[in-house]
Amino acid sequence: MNPQLSSSSFLVFVFVFVFLHSLKPASIYCHPLDPLTPSEISAVSNIIKSSHLGSSKSLSFHYVGLDELDKPDVLAWASTHRWNKAAPPRRAFVIVRSEKKTHEIYVDITNHSIVSDKVYEGFGYPIMNFEEQEAASALPFDYAPFVESVKKRGLEPEDVLCTTFSVGWFGERKQGRRLLKIQCFLTGETVNFYARPLEGVTVVVDLDAMEIVEYEDRMVVPVPGSTGTDYRAAKQKPPLGPRTKPGIIVQPEGKGFEVDGHMIRWANWEFHLGYDVRAGTVISLASVKDSEKGIFRRVLHRGYVSEIFVPYMDPSEEWYYKTFFDVGEFGFGLLAAPLEPMTDCPANAAFMDAYITDRDGLPIKQSNAFCVFERYSGDASWRHTEFGIPGQVITEVRPEVSLVVRMVSAIGNYDYVIDWEFKTSGSIKLGVSLTGILEMKGTQYTHADQISGDQHGTLLAANTMGVYHDHFVTFHLDLDVDGPDNSFVKSKLKTVRVTDDSSPRRSYWTVAKETARTEADALVELGAEPAELLVVNPSKKTKMGNDVGYRLISHGATAASLLSDDDYPQIRASYSKKQVRVTAYNKSEKWAAGLYADESRGDDNLAAWTARNRVIENTDIVLWYTVGVHHVPCQEDFPVMPLLSGGFELRPANFFESNPLIKTPANKQVHLPNCSRNS
């Protein structure tokens, strides 16, 4: 053998070995909570199409998502040296419609097989997909009565646009047809078609038959004009609004966070960022590092938006059914808007894509579905100035820097901005912001002085009524505070009278702690009585003997539903009367309005689960928190609504031995030149 050839062959072998070895972690390592990849979605689609359902001409996909491992299996996997472990078997949960039936299918992706295929026989229907809504919206234009209605109003069909609305449920005893309603609008001179409804026209479509089954043109009211409705920058005319000076974010040492697949690591936090076509952002395995102990401690196993209930307050024929469940009927993740760099998210943001599924089960990329960035608020995380020591002024300040995960879902007219903000203090702050366009009703009124009686809204412009409505955003928060066995504690603040002349004081308040034993004990109406709400781990104590815990703090937007208990939308969303609920952990209890929210009846929702009154003391529990807004529109909400924000915070309460930031060194100051011409 030629020695030189032998040496070259050896070098090639070494290079190939090293190269393949370097690829090994990337090819094997896959977190069990990672969302389905495009290739996995395609595999799932092919597996189902190769089954008996493949011959069905009406086969349509409505939900394709990860069937995550059971919680103990996820935790066991995460606790091992996972880099050297192959990924656990991957499964998908799929909901399809075929021959007017709903199929629940579990697919073993790893072994390329269907585990189970069950026909759902209960009430309600799955999320509507894009394609069927688009097809339904086109039907009126070939429907003679609708064309006549358009002509009667002196409009051109090419200037009319139609869109879809869920129909709700209003006491029907039997499961009927899978329906949606169509409302139409005038575009033409503006893209803000929501401001120009064809009031009085209602179209009902049977989605399975894809045909119009009901039609009504009940009245003719003026279509609002287009003046002042367009929100595009190019359409604005002087006088223009205020202009601020541009700013810039500089990170001289680069980004402070690491994105490793779907794992995010930053400062003293690590967590998994996932995606679901229904929930959107899913935060899992959030753990905070205890610097004193040198270990990461668990806080949140899994959290996401579970449902958004939006009932409108107009009982008229054209409006009574507008009682939407945006997550379960339309898909919060399905409608994730592509985030714009430098506007939706700052210059220091990193972006991540997601994948949805079309009607045929094929993957579609959603670009820039999430952004992750460090927020420099200009606020202090803690500070103190001391004047009390003679001859000295002592000031210590540490800046507030946090990590934000943001997603925006554009559900029809409204845009929802959801922020998960992680703080070095150990807090997780949830922000819910509403913007976009109001649902507007056409009216004959052109001035508020003309209005008599209850018109169910505010006159925003001539012939334009902004209808009263609510937003209830319910979060699923599977807290694991230092472990899975937790309890829910209400620390009630009680006034105590001083009656024994032991003090010049007449009263004080103290804390009376109540640990909820069952789900009924944990129902909370915020504001009903002063109390601190905590999730604690009764088996973990601080050195001082206090239960390790996290406190729930509301940041505005604490409305509860005002609808009567026997009103059909309220029956479906009966959980919305209490802002805080706690349930015993159950993997199947994910969606506050039930798995099938469209035309649901409230028999499988969060309130029904809590009515079981299971034991929740010192066990694995889930906290449910509802951010609520009663929205009375005003003229400043027109034509586009400025951001309205609320939310809540999960804040350490005796979780650490002391302030975890006390030893945080101050950042080195960076001075930038003032680039202004006037400097």
Side-chain angles (χ1 to χ4, degrees), residues 268-271 284-289 296-300:
N268 54 340
W269 279 101
E270 67 175 19
F271 57 89
S284 303
L285 301 176
S287 299
V288 64
K289 189 172 185 179
F296 278 93
R297 300 168 64 188
R298 287 158 56 190
V299 178
L300 177 71

Side-chain angles (χ1 to χ4, degrees), residues 390-565:
Q392 298 186 57
V393 176
I394 300 171
T395 297
E396 287 286 331
V397 184
R398 297 294 182 272
E400 174 85 290
V401 182
S402 56
L403 185 76
V404 177
V405 177
R406 175 170 293 166
M407 193 197 96
V408 176
S409 186
I411 305 178
N413 53 304
Y414 261 105
D415 292 48
Y416 291 87
V417 184
I418 304 296
D419 282 353
W420 287 80
E421 184 174 3
F422 296 84
K423 296 176 176 288
T424 51
S425 63
S427 283
I428 305 175
K429 187 176 180 181
L430 276 296
V432 177
S433 299
L434 314 175
T435 181
I437 301 171
L438 298 170
E439 283 271 8
M440 287 167 274
K441 176 182 179 179
T443 178
Q444 72 271 25
Y445 299 118
T446 58
H447 194 279
D449 289 347
Q450 301 168 350
I451 297 174
S452 61
D454 190 353
Q455 296 301 314
H456 318 293
T458 303
L459 192 66
L460 305 174
N463 309 117
T464 308
M465 191 77 69
V467 178
Y468 305 144
H469 60 282
D470 296 323
H471 300 265
F472 298 112
V473 183
T474 301
F475 285 83
H476 173 286
L477 302 161
D478 179 8
L479 287 167
D480 279 5
V481 177
D482 232 4
D485 292 340
N486 291 172
S487 294
F488 181 67
V489 175
K490 290 184 276 189
S491 292
K492 296 184 178 181
L493 309 186
K494 301 287 188 180
T495 301
V496 179
R497 293 281 297 172
V498 178
T499 59
D500 60 0
D501 297 325
S502 62
S503 169
R505 291 282 297 274
R506 298 291 180 87
S507 67
Y508 62 91
W509 63 258
T510 191
V511 176
K513 295 184 179 180
E514 296 180 1
T515 299
R517 184 178 177 277
T518 66
E519 290 169 321
D521 297 334
L523 298 176
V524 177
E525 181 180 349
L526 294 176
E529 59 181 341
E532 289 196 342
L533 307 176
L534 302 101
V535 173
V536 304
N537 188 325
S539 65
K540 300 288 182 70
K541 309 285 184 181
T542 65
K543 292 178 181 178
M544 298 296 102
N546 294 309
D547 288 342
V548 164
Y550 261 71
R551 180 157 52 112
L552 174 63
I553 302 174
S554 299
H555 293 297
T558 58
S561 179
L562 299 176
L563 298 178
S564 62
D565 290 342

Side-chain angles (χ1 to χ4, degrees), residues 278-279 303-310 325 327 332 416 418 420 430 432 471-477 559 573-581 590-593 605-607 609 622-628 648:
R278 184 163 177 168
Y304 51 86
V305 174
S306 178
E307 191 53 82
I308 301 177
F309 175 46
V310 187
F325 291 81
V327 172
F332 198 64
Y416 291 87
I418 304 296
W420 287 80
L430 276 296
V432 177
H471 300 265
F472 298 112
V473 183
T474 301
F475 285 83
H476 173 286
L477 302 161
S574 48
Y575 58 86
S576 61
K577 286 291 179 81
K578 306 288 185 183
Q579 300 93 333
V580 178
R581 292 173 183 265
K590 296 180 178 181
W591 312 111
N605 67 7
L606 176 55
W609 306 334
V622 176
L623 176 69
W624 304 79
Y625 184 89
T626 297
V627 176
F648 61 98

Side-chain angles (χ1 to χ4, degrees), residues 305-384:
V305 174
S306 178
E307 191 53 82
I308 301 177
F309 175 46
V310 187
Y312 283 79
M313 298 300 132
D314 188 332
S316 67
E317 182 66 25
E318 291 76 24
W319 281 81
Y320 76 89
Y321 61 89
K322 292 186 177 182
T323 55
F324 308 122
F325 291 81
D326 285 336
V327 172
E329 293 173 341
F330 301 102
F332 198 64
L334 188 66
L335 294 165
L339 298 173
E340 295 286 337
M342 306 294 290
T343 50
D344 280 319
C345 310
N348 62 332
F351 293 83
M352 296 178 67
D353 302 328
Y355 289 87
I356 62 174
T357 309
D358 70 6
R359 184 186 189 279
D360 295 324
L362 301 177
I364 300 175
K365 183 178 179 180
Q366 287 180 309
S367 299
N368 293 1
F370 308 108
C371 69
V372 184
F373 60 92
E374 288 162 291
R375 173 179 283 162
Y376 297 82
S377 64
D379 299 326
S381 63
W382 68 267
R383 77 169 324 281
H384 180 62

Side-chain angles (χ1 to χ4, degrees), residues 97 102 123-127 175-178 328 595-599:
R97 291 278 294 172
T102 299
F123 298 118
Y125 297 105
I127 293 171
Q175 184 86 325
R177 292 173 294 191
R178 186 165 169 258
L595 178 59
Y596 298 99
D598 185 28
E599 299 188 44

